[in-house]
Amino acid sequence: MNILIKDILLYDKTVDVLIEDNKFKTIGKVDTTKTKIDKTINGKDKAILPAFYNLHCHAAMNILRGFCEDLPLFEWLQNIWKKEDTLKGEDIYNGTRLAILEMIKSGTVFFADMYWFHKDVIRAAKDMGIRADVGLTFMNKLDRKTIDENFDFLNNYSKDKNEIVKVSPTPHAIYTCDDKLYKECYDNAKKNNLFLQTHLCETEQEVNDCKKAHNGMTPVEYLDNAGVLDNNTIAAHCVYLTENDSKILANRGVVLVHNPCSNMKLSSGVFNMPQNRKYNCKIALGTDGTSSNNNLSMMEEMKMACLLAKVSFKKADALTANEIFDIATKKGAEYYNINAGEIKEGMQADCIIVDLNNERMVPNYNIIYNMVYSADSTCINGVICNGKILMEDRHVDNEQEIIEIAKRYNAKN
Ligand SMILES: [Zn+2]
């Protein structure tokens, strides 16, 4: 399908954007007499920008939004795990669809997910047309049969490079998986050319327990020693890192996913932006699940990341709007090997269409400043993912049905 976006603002220029199949074909002047156009979008009073890539999330937890609050991580996890034991595949599908709806409405076109019932998460992502890396969670508490079934699933999942819903082995964390299980996951990821997702150094307790159990090694040293860190490793949180940890992660090319809202809400700690940048670590941005956030807006996450860095490190440029926008868009795509994240000819057509008449977007001295510090979801009028329109004039297919189903969940169920 060919989509023409007419007269839209791309930073400081008004351009036409032609999307052919799943790529940006022309940016500039489009000769409509020579190209068959299936759909035209009027870009007047609108701007086109890269979409967001959410590199750490537990999408289905949307049905646990507000389930229990104001507890520290380990206590909170106990409550959540008890509730999770009651969830079934259909609940996961419903929760994931609600999460994807929320993500599309706030301009996100990709999420790296970590949860249970991967088949239902995959089904939800495919039904809604969003990109995803669906993690299959591994923990030592799982029986061997389930672990083997998960590895088989990863071995047999589609290797089609045009498939936008991918899968990955996801050893949950060092306090739920030993180094042997990590290594099995790592070997599977290598064999199948997949990413490996994990939580890492989220709390001080995790680090202290690890040192006690493993001859003074930090969690990063422990995983490096196990040989499971490389440029296909996605490590969420990374709050408690020594200088040496940051150096190791940078050298190995590990992607550090900053989750400012969740880290603040669970009182976990502050991501050391200056230290990680000093060592040129790869830094991406994620929302974590809605039980610890409580929404999936990457715009809110960008603002929080900047404010947290500025107040924690007492420097106005500890993290700037341009830097975090780059991290939330281009860098996220790049680290996940998605040829997108910029509005450029030849790249895959992922973008958001921003409403310049929205009260939060005026005046428009600098659109990135507005997007990071002022905008909310209502500023996003349209979303295109891999050349497909996922939202137009703020409407997403089946949104009313998704919301009606989600309403059935509450504390009593
Ligand atoms: Zn998480």
Side-chain angles (χ1 to χ4, degrees):
M1 167 147 149
N2 294 351
I3 302 169
L4 175 68
I5 310 170
K6 219 52 218 121
D7 301 321
I8 195 158
L9 195 69
L10 174 61
Y11 299 106
D12 53 355
K13 277 199 196 98
T14 300
V15 295
D16 297 337
V17 176
L18 175 66
I19 297 170
E20 213 172 84
D21 299 323
N22 71 334
K23 293 205 171 99
F24 290 116
K25 170 84 175 163
T26 311
I27 294 165
K29 210 67 218 138
V30 173
D31 184 350
T32 48
T33 59
K34 285 191 183 141
T35 317
K36 179 176 151 278
I37 306 293
D38 302 297
K39 162 97 192 159
T40 303
I41 295 171
N42 180 2
K44 191 176 176 310
D45 293 322
K46 296 190 182 99
I48 185 167
L49 283 174
F52 302 112
Y53 300 79
N54 182 351
L55 264 71
H56 180 64
C57 164
H58 310 276
M61 291 184 101
N62 262 49
I63 49 165
L64 300 176
R65 175 163 30 217
F67 167 68
C68 66
E69 297 294 353
D70 305 328
L71 299 170
L73 180 72
F74 281 90
E75 218 173 305
W76 175 83
L77 271 178
Q78 295 308 322
N79 279 285
I80 292 287
W81 285 348
K82 217 155 93 195
K83 178 73 181 169
E84 281 179 340
D85 282 343
T86 68
L87 299 177
K88 307 206 163 49
E90 202 53 27
D91 301 316
I92 302 309
Y93 177 73
N94 294 337
T96 306
R97 281 217 301 167
L98 178 64
I100 295 171
L101 173 62
E102 209 193 312
M103 287 193 265
I104 294 171
K105 289 235 159 184
S106 51
T108 295
V109 293
F110 167 84
F111 66 107
D113 195 64
M114 198 188 272
Y115 212 61
W116 308 106
F117 297 96
H118 49 274
K119 289 178 191 162
D120 299 285
V121 179
I122 292 168
R123 183 160 61 99
K126 288 190 173 181
D127 283 355
M128 296 189 72
I130 197 170
R131 298 179 189 275
D133 181 33
V134 177
L136 277 68
T137 303
F138 288 85
M139 291 185 186
N140 282 111
K141 73 171 187 183
L142 299 179
D143 58 61
R144 190 67 225 180
K145 188 169 159 275
T146 308
I147 289 177
D148 287 338
E149 277 169 6
N150 282 350
F151 282 133
D152 281 347
F153 187 88
L154 293 164
N155 291 337
N156 296 319
Y157 190 77
S158 167
K159 303 284 185 289
D160 180 357
K161 67 175 175 33
N162 295 321
E163 176 54 72
I164 62 168
V165 178
K166 314 234 179 207
V167 291
S168 62
T170 302
H172 171 261
I174 59 155
Y175 50 88
T176 47
C177 302
D178 61 18
D179 50 356
K180 280 195 204 72
L181 187 53
Y182 263 98
K183 188 72 172 65
E184 278 192 87
C185 290
Y186 178 83
D187 290 342
N188 184 281
K190 283 282 108 178
K191 184 170 87 180
N192 294 307
N193 195 22
L194 305 173
F195 285 90
L196 178 148
Q197 303 183 56
T198 191
H199 291 104
L200 185 62
C201 296
E202 183 172 0
T203 64
E204 209 163 14
Q205 188 182 338
E206 176 188 334
V207 177
N208 291 340
D209 291 351
C210 178
K211 283 182 170 169
K212 236 181 263 166
H214 306 293
N215 293 322
M217 279 193 279
T218 65
V220 173
E221 289 163 350
Y222 174 68
L223 290 186
D224 195 40
N225 195 52
V228 301
L229 299 179
D230 70 16
N231 55 6
N232 285 329
T233 309
I234 310 291
H237 300 287
C238 297
V239 174
Y240 289 92
L241 301 180
T242 63
E243 293 238 355
N244 188 47
D245 288 341
S246 294
K247 237 188 270 183
I248 294 171
L249 294 173
N251 287 339
R252 300 281 179 250
V254 171
V255 179
L256 285 61
V257 189
H258 184 18
N259 302 99
C261 287
S262 174
N263 295 340
M264 285 194 273
K265 185 159 184 262
L266 297 174
S267 65
S268 301
V270 178
F271 182 85
N272 197 331
M273 193 56 78
Q275 176 179 302
N276 292 322
R277 286 206 314 197
K278 183 169 111 190
Y279 292 105
N280 283 324
C281 290
K282 290 181 185 168
I283 301 168
L285 193 67
T287 57
D288 212 355
T290 47
S291 295
S292 62
N293 189 312
N294 290 9
N295 66 51
L296 303 174
S297 166
M298 286 287 280
M299 282 178 286
E300 205 171 288
E301 215 63 37
M302 288 195 296
K303 180 172 178 174
M304 289 292 179
C306 287
L307 301 191
L308 179 63
K310 288 173 201 295
V311 72
S312 304
F313 303 102
K314 309 269 183 299
K315 279 179 83 181
D317 65 353
L319 185 62
T320 67
N322 284 319
E323 285 166 328
I324 197 66
F325 191 79
D326 209 42
I327 286 172
T329 56
K330 189 179 152 188
K331 294 287 182 207
E334 180 189 317
Y335 296 153
Y336 246 102
N337 296 336
I338 303 166
N339 183 29
E342 289 177 275
I343 314 298
K344 266 194 183 161
E345 288 176 5
M347 291 189 95
Q348 291 179 14
D350 290 0
C351 62
I352 57 174
I353 293 169
V354 177
D355 177 7
L356 297 177
N357 284 334
N358 187 288
E359 64 281 3
R360 288 184 179 227
M361 296 303 289
V362 285
N364 184 12
Y365 292 107
N366 178 311
I367 194 162
I368 302 299
Y369 296 170
N370 276 354
M371 286 305 289
V372 173
Y373 295 125
S374 169
D376 67 3
S377 292
T378 63
C379 302
I380 299 181
N381 176 270
V383 176
I384 295 175
C385 172
N386 202 35
K388 289 209 176 77
I389 299 171
L390 301 189
M391 178 168 83
E392 187 175 11
D393 291 330
R394 289 212 53 72
H395 174 79
V396 178
D397 280 353
N398 303 319
E399 62 182 285
Q400 211 43 52
E401 178 218 340
I402 294 167
I403 287 170
E404 286 308 319
I405 291 171
K407 277 187 196 166
R408 292 184 209 145
Y409 293 88
N410 60 45
K412 283 180 235 112
N413 290 333

